[in-house]
Short mmCIF file of all heavy atoms in Angstrom, two decimals:
data_model
loop_
_atom_site.label_atom_id
_atom_site.label_comp_id
_atom_site.label_asym_id
_atom_site.label_seq_id
_atom_site.Cartn_x
_atom_site.Cartn_y
_atom_site.Cartn_z
N VAL A 98 0.84 -1.20 0.00
CA VAL A 98 0.00 0.00 0.00
C VAL A 98 0.88 1.25 0.00
O VAL A 98 0.58 2.23 -0.69
CB VAL A 98 -0.99 -0.01 1.19
CG1 VAL A 98 -1.68 1.34 1.35
CG2 VAL A 98 -2.02 -1.13 1.02
N GLN A 99 1.99 1.23 0.74
CA GLN A 99 2.91 2.37 0.77
C GLN A 99 3.57 2.60 -0.58
O GLN A 99 3.90 3.73 -0.93
CB GLN A 99 3.99 2.15 1.83
CG GLN A 99 3.50 2.21 3.25
CD GLN A 99 4.60 1.82 4.24
OE1 GLN A 99 5.76 1.64 3.88
NE2 GLN A 99 4.22 1.69 5.50
N MET A 100 3.80 1.53 -1.34
CA MET A 100 4.45 1.65 -2.65
C MET A 100 3.50 2.12 -3.75
O MET A 100 3.95 2.67 -4.76
CB MET A 100 5.03 0.29 -3.07
CG MET A 100 6.26 -0.11 -2.34
SD MET A 100 6.97 -1.55 -3.18
CE MET A 100 7.26 -2.64 -1.82
N LEU A 101 2.21 1.92 -3.57
CA LEU A 101 1.25 2.23 -4.64
C LEU A 101 1.32 3.68 -5.13
O LEU A 101 1.23 3.91 -6.34
CB LEU A 101 -0.17 1.86 -4.22
CG LEU A 101 -0.46 0.37 -4.14
CD1 LEU A 101 -1.89 0.14 -3.65
CD2 LEU A 101 -0.22 -0.32 -5.47
N PRO A 102 1.48 4.68 -4.26
CA PRO A 102 1.55 6.05 -4.77
C PRO A 102 2.75 6.31 -5.68
O PRO A 102 2.81 7.34 -6.35
CB PRO A 102 1.62 6.91 -3.50
CG PRO A 102 0.97 6.08 -2.45
CD PRO A 102 1.37 4.67 -2.79
N ILE A 103 3.71 5.41 -5.70
CA ILE A 103 4.83 5.52 -6.63
C ILE A 103 4.59 4.61 -7.84
O ILE A 103 4.79 5.02 -8.99
CB ILE A 103 6.16 5.16 -5.94
CG1 ILE A 103 6.43 6.13 -4.79
CG2 ILE A 103 7.32 5.19 -6.94
CD1 ILE A 103 7.57 5.72 -3.88
N LEU A 104 4.14 3.39 -7.58
CA LEU A 104 3.97 2.42 -8.67
C LEU A 104 2.90 2.83 -9.67
O LEU A 104 3.09 2.70 -10.88
CB LEU A 104 3.66 1.03 -8.10
CG LEU A 104 4.79 0.35 -7.34
CD1 LEU A 104 4.30 -0.94 -6.71
CD2 LEU A 104 5.97 0.09 -8.26
N VAL A 105 1.77 3.32 -9.19
CA VAL A 105 0.68 3.68 -10.10
C VAL A 105 1.10 4.82 -11.03
O VAL A 105 0.94 4.71 -12.26
CB VAL A 105 -0.63 3.98 -9.34
CG1 VAL A 105 -1.69 4.57 -10.26
CG2 VAL A 105 -1.16 2.70 -8.67
N PRO A 106 1.68 5.92 -10.53
CA PRO A 106 2.13 6.97 -11.46
C PRO A 106 3.20 6.49 -12.45
O PRO A 106 3.24 6.95 -13.59
CB PRO A 106 2.69 8.06 -10.54
CG PRO A 106 1.96 7.88 -9.26
CD PRO A 106 1.78 6.38 -9.14
N VAL A 107 4.05 5.54 -12.02
CA VAL A 107 5.07 5.01 -12.93
C VAL A 107 4.40 4.24 -14.08
O VAL A 107 4.77 4.39 -15.24
CB VAL A 107 6.08 4.11 -12.17
CG1 VAL A 107 6.89 3.25 -13.12
CG2 VAL A 107 7.00 4.97 -11.34
N VAL A 108 3.40 3.43 -13.76
CA VAL A 108 2.66 2.71 -14.81
C VAL A 108 1.99 3.73 -15.74
O VAL A 108 2.07 3.61 -16.97
CB VAL A 108 1.61 1.75 -14.20
CG1 VAL A 108 0.70 1.19 -15.28
CG2 VAL A 108 2.30 0.62 -13.44
N LEU A 109 1.36 4.74 -15.16
CA LEU A 109 0.70 5.77 -15.97
C LEU A 109 1.72 6.54 -16.81
O LEU A 109 1.43 6.92 -17.96
CB LEU A 109 -0.09 6.73 -15.08
CG LEU A 109 -1.24 6.10 -14.29
CD1 LEU A 109 -1.88 7.13 -13.37
CD2 LEU A 109 -2.27 5.46 -15.21
N ASN A 110 2.92 6.75 -16.29
CA ASN A 110 3.98 7.43 -17.04
C ASN A 110 4.35 6.63 -18.28
O ASN A 110 4.55 7.19 -19.37
CB ASN A 110 5.20 7.64 -16.13
CG ASN A 110 6.21 8.61 -16.69
OD1 ASN A 110 6.04 9.18 -17.75
ND2 ASN A 110 7.30 8.77 -15.98
N LEU A 111 4.46 5.33 -18.12
CA LEU A 111 4.76 4.48 -19.26
C LEU A 111 3.64 4.58 -20.30
O LEU A 111 3.89 4.66 -21.50
CB LEU A 111 4.96 3.04 -18.81
CG LEU A 111 5.56 2.09 -19.83
CD1 LEU A 111 6.97 2.53 -20.22
CD2 LEU A 111 5.60 0.68 -19.28
N LEU A 112 2.40 4.61 -19.83
CA LEU A 112 1.25 4.69 -20.74
C LEU A 112 1.17 6.05 -21.42
O LEU A 112 0.72 6.15 -22.56
CB LEU A 112 -0.05 4.42 -19.98
CG LEU A 112 -0.14 3.05 -19.33
CD1 LEU A 112 -1.44 2.92 -18.56
CD2 LEU A 112 -0.01 1.94 -20.37
N GLN A 113 1.61 7.09 -20.74
CA GLN A 113 1.56 8.44 -21.32
C GLN A 113 2.49 8.58 -22.51
O GLN A 113 2.32 9.45 -23.35
CB GLN A 113 1.90 9.48 -20.26
CG GLN A 113 1.74 10.90 -20.76
CD GLN A 113 2.35 11.92 -19.83
OE1 GLN A 113 3.29 11.62 -19.10
NE2 GLN A 113 1.83 13.12 -19.87
N SER A 114 3.46 7.70 -22.61
CA SER A 114 4.46 7.81 -23.68
C SER A 114 3.83 7.83 -25.08
O SER A 114 4.42 8.37 -26.00
CB SER A 114 5.49 6.68 -23.57
OG SER A 114 4.89 5.43 -23.79
N GLY A 115 2.64 7.30 -25.22
CA GLY A 115 1.99 7.31 -26.53
C GLY A 115 1.14 8.53 -26.79
O GLY A 115 0.53 8.65 -27.85
N SER A 116 1.09 9.46 -25.84
CA SER A 116 0.30 10.68 -26.02
C SER A 116 0.94 11.57 -27.08
O SER A 116 2.15 11.56 -27.27
CB SER A 116 0.23 11.48 -24.70
OG SER A 116 -0.46 10.76 -23.74
N ARG A 117 0.11 12.35 -27.71
CA ARG A 117 0.60 13.27 -28.73
C ARG A 117 1.32 14.45 -28.07
O ARG A 117 0.92 14.93 -27.03
CB ARG A 117 -0.55 13.79 -29.57
CG ARG A 117 -1.22 12.66 -30.34
CD ARG A 117 -1.96 13.13 -31.55
NE ARG A 117 -1.14 13.63 -32.63
CZ ARG A 117 -0.36 12.91 -33.42
NH1 ARG A 117 -0.23 11.64 -33.25
NH2 ARG A 117 0.31 13.47 -34.40
N VAL A 118 2.37 14.90 -28.72
CA VAL A 118 3.08 16.10 -28.30
C VAL A 118 2.16 17.28 -28.61
O VAL A 118 1.54 17.33 -29.67
CB VAL A 118 4.42 16.24 -29.06
CG1 VAL A 118 5.09 17.56 -28.78
CG2 VAL A 118 5.33 15.07 -28.74
N GLN A 119 2.08 18.22 -27.67
CA GLN A 119 1.26 19.39 -27.91
C GLN A 119 1.73 20.12 -29.16
O GLN A 119 2.92 20.23 -29.41
CB GLN A 119 1.33 20.32 -26.71
CG GLN A 119 -0.01 20.79 -26.28
CD GLN A 119 0.06 21.58 -24.99
OE1 GLN A 119 1.12 21.91 -24.48
NE2 GLN A 119 -1.09 21.89 -24.47
N ASN A 120 0.81 20.57 -29.97
CA ASN A 120 1.07 21.29 -31.22
C ASN A 120 1.67 20.42 -32.31
O ASN A 120 2.17 20.93 -33.30
CB ASN A 120 1.96 22.52 -30.99
CG ASN A 120 1.34 23.49 -30.03
OD1 ASN A 120 0.13 23.68 -30.02
ND2 ASN A 120 2.17 24.11 -29.20
N ALA A 121 1.66 19.09 -32.11
CA ALA A 121 2.12 18.20 -33.17
C ALA A 121 1.07 18.16 -34.26
O ALA A 121 -0.12 18.24 -33.99
CB ALA A 121 2.36 16.80 -32.63
N PRO A 122 1.50 18.05 -35.52
CA PRO A 122 0.51 17.96 -36.59
C PRO A 122 -0.35 16.71 -36.41
O PRO A 122 0.14 15.65 -36.04
CB PRO A 122 1.35 17.85 -37.87
CG PRO A 122 2.78 17.82 -37.44
CD PRO A 122 2.85 17.97 -35.97
N VAL A 123 -1.64 16.87 -36.63
CA VAL A 123 -2.59 15.77 -36.45
C VAL A 123 -3.33 15.56 -37.75
O VAL A 123 -3.83 16.51 -38.35
CB VAL A 123 -3.59 16.10 -35.32
CG1 VAL A 123 -4.59 14.98 -35.16
CG2 VAL A 123 -2.85 16.36 -34.03
N ALA A 124 -3.40 14.31 -38.17
CA ALA A 124 -4.20 13.99 -39.35
C ALA A 124 -5.67 14.13 -38.99
O ALA A 124 -6.03 14.19 -37.82
CB ALA A 124 -3.89 12.57 -39.81
N ASN A 125 -6.52 14.14 -39.98
CA ASN A 125 -7.94 14.36 -39.73
C ASN A 125 -8.67 13.14 -39.19
O ASN A 125 -9.83 13.23 -38.85
CB ASN A 125 -8.63 14.85 -41.02
CG ASN A 125 -8.20 16.25 -41.36
OD1 ASN A 125 -7.87 17.02 -40.48
ND2 ASN A 125 -8.21 16.57 -42.64
N THR A 126 -8.02 12.00 -39.11
CA THR A 126 -8.72 10.82 -38.61
C THR A 126 -8.64 10.77 -37.10
O THR A 126 -7.63 11.11 -36.50
CB THR A 126 -8.12 9.53 -39.20
OG1 THR A 126 -6.77 9.44 -38.78
CG2 THR A 126 -8.20 9.52 -40.71
N GLN A 127 -9.71 10.32 -36.48
CA GLN A 127 -9.78 10.28 -35.03
C GLN A 127 -8.74 9.33 -34.45
O GLN A 127 -8.22 9.56 -33.37
CB GLN A 127 -11.18 9.87 -34.61
CG GLN A 127 -11.38 9.98 -33.12
CD GLN A 127 -12.83 10.15 -32.77
OE1 GLN A 127 -13.67 10.30 -33.63
NE2 GLN A 127 -13.12 10.14 -31.50
N THR A 128 -8.42 8.25 -35.13
CA THR A 128 -7.48 7.28 -34.58
C THR A 128 -6.09 7.86 -34.44
O THR A 128 -5.33 7.42 -33.59
CB THR A 128 -7.41 6.01 -35.44
OG1 THR A 128 -7.05 6.37 -36.78
CG2 THR A 128 -8.73 5.27 -35.43
N ASN A 129 -5.73 8.87 -35.22
CA ASN A 129 -4.40 9.47 -35.10
C ASN A 129 -4.27 10.34 -33.86
O ASN A 129 -3.18 10.74 -33.50
CB ASN A 129 -4.05 10.28 -36.36
CG ASN A 129 -3.69 9.38 -37.51
OD1 ASN A 129 -3.34 8.21 -37.32
ND2 ASN A 129 -3.78 9.90 -38.71
N ASN A 130 -5.38 10.67 -33.23
CA ASN A 130 -5.35 11.44 -31.99
C ASN A 130 -5.22 10.54 -30.77
O ASN A 130 -5.07 11.03 -29.67
CB ASN A 130 -6.63 12.28 -31.86
CG ASN A 130 -6.67 13.37 -32.90
OD1 ASN A 130 -5.66 13.93 -33.26
ND2 ASN A 130 -7.87 13.66 -33.39
N ARG A 131 -5.31 9.26 -30.97
CA ARG A 131 -5.33 8.32 -29.85
C ARG A 131 -3.92 7.98 -29.39
O ARG A 131 -2.97 8.01 -30.16
CB ARG A 131 -6.10 7.07 -30.23
CG ARG A 131 -7.58 7.40 -30.47
CD ARG A 131 -8.36 6.20 -30.83
NE ARG A 131 -8.47 5.26 -29.75
CZ ARG A 131 -9.53 5.16 -28.95
NH1 ARG A 131 -10.55 5.96 -29.12
NH2 ARG A 131 -9.57 4.25 -28.02
N ASN A 132 -3.82 7.62 -28.15
CA ASN A 132 -2.57 7.18 -27.54
C ASN A 132 -2.43 5.68 -27.82
O ASN A 132 -3.12 4.86 -27.22
CB ASN A 132 -2.63 7.48 -26.04
CG ASN A 132 -1.43 6.99 -25.29
OD1 ASN A 132 -0.75 6.05 -25.69
ND2 ASN A 132 -1.17 7.62 -24.16
N THR A 133 -1.54 5.33 -28.73
CA THR A 133 -1.40 3.93 -29.15
C THR A 133 -0.91 3.03 -28.01
O THR A 133 -1.27 1.86 -27.94
CB THR A 133 -0.45 3.81 -30.35
OG1 THR A 133 0.81 4.42 -30.00
CG2 THR A 133 -1.03 4.49 -31.58
N VAL A 134 -0.08 3.58 -27.13
CA VAL A 134 0.41 2.79 -25.99
C VAL A 134 -0.74 2.50 -25.04
O VAL A 134 -0.92 1.35 -24.60
CB VAL A 134 1.57 3.52 -25.28
CG1 VAL A 134 2.01 2.76 -24.04
CG2 VAL A 134 2.75 3.71 -26.23
N LEU A 135 -1.55 3.50 -24.74
CA LEU A 135 -2.71 3.30 -23.87
C LEU A 135 -3.69 2.32 -24.51
O LEU A 135 -4.20 1.41 -23.84
CB LEU A 135 -3.40 4.63 -23.57
CG LEU A 135 -4.65 4.56 -22.69
CD1 LEU A 135 -4.32 3.97 -21.31
CD2 LEU A 135 -5.27 5.95 -22.55
N ASP A 136 -3.94 2.48 -25.81
CA ASP A 136 -4.85 1.56 -26.51
C ASP A 136 -4.37 0.12 -26.40
O ASP A 136 -5.15 -0.79 -26.12
CB ASP A 136 -4.96 1.92 -27.99
CG ASP A 136 -5.82 3.15 -28.23
OD1 ASP A 136 -6.53 3.58 -27.30
OD2 ASP A 136 -5.76 3.69 -29.35
N THR A 137 -3.09 -0.09 -26.60
CA THR A 137 -2.53 -1.45 -26.52
C THR A 137 -2.65 -1.97 -25.09
O THR A 137 -3.01 -3.12 -24.87
CB THR A 137 -1.07 -1.47 -26.99
OG1 THR A 137 -1.03 -1.04 -28.35
CG2 THR A 137 -0.48 -2.86 -26.88
N PHE A 138 -2.34 -1.12 -24.12
CA PHE A 138 -2.42 -1.52 -22.72
C PHE A 138 -3.84 -1.91 -22.34
O PHE A 138 -4.06 -2.90 -21.63
CB PHE A 138 -1.93 -0.39 -21.82
CG PHE A 138 -1.92 -0.75 -20.36
CD1 PHE A 138 -0.99 -1.65 -19.86
CD2 PHE A 138 -2.82 -0.17 -19.48
CE1 PHE A 138 -0.97 -1.98 -18.50
CE2 PHE A 138 -2.80 -0.49 -18.13
CZ PHE A 138 -1.88 -1.40 -17.65
N LEU A 139 -4.80 -1.14 -22.80
CA LEU A 139 -6.19 -1.47 -22.49
C LEU A 139 -6.66 -2.68 -23.28
O LEU A 139 -7.73 -3.19 -23.04
CB LEU A 139 -7.10 -0.26 -22.75
CG LEU A 139 -6.84 0.93 -21.83
CD1 LEU A 139 -7.72 2.11 -22.22
CD2 LEU A 139 -7.02 0.57 -20.38
N ASP A 140 -5.81 -3.13 -24.21
CA ASP A 140 -5.99 -4.40 -24.91
C ASP A 140 -7.36 -4.49 -25.58
O ASP A 140 -8.21 -5.27 -25.17
CB ASP A 140 -5.76 -5.56 -23.94
CG ASP A 140 -5.50 -6.86 -24.65
OD1 ASP A 140 -5.08 -6.86 -25.81
OD2 ASP A 140 -5.72 -7.89 -24.02
N ALA A 141 -7.49 -3.70 -26.61
CA ALA A 141 -8.77 -3.60 -27.30
C ALA A 141 -9.34 -4.95 -27.73
O ALA A 141 -10.54 -5.14 -27.76
CB ALA A 141 -8.63 -2.68 -28.51
N ASN A 142 -8.49 -5.93 -28.06
CA ASN A 142 -9.03 -7.21 -28.50
C ASN A 142 -9.33 -8.17 -27.35
O ASN A 142 -9.81 -9.27 -27.56
CB ASN A 142 -8.11 -7.87 -29.54
CG ASN A 142 -6.79 -8.33 -28.95
OD1 ASN A 142 -6.54 -8.21 -27.76
ND2 ASN A 142 -5.94 -8.87 -29.80
N GLY A 143 -9.00 -7.77 -26.12
CA GLY A 143 -9.40 -8.53 -24.95
C GLY A 143 -8.67 -9.83 -24.72
O GLY A 143 -9.14 -10.66 -23.95
#
């Protein structure tokens, strides 16, 4: 329980790596705005 406040943000930090850089060019498709690392982690195919 004492480690969780460190472990959870570290996991989230790894997941954030797929976020778009602010002001990065974005294609018009919605999927290009998505965080591919988060999508994979959430395991869309189950």
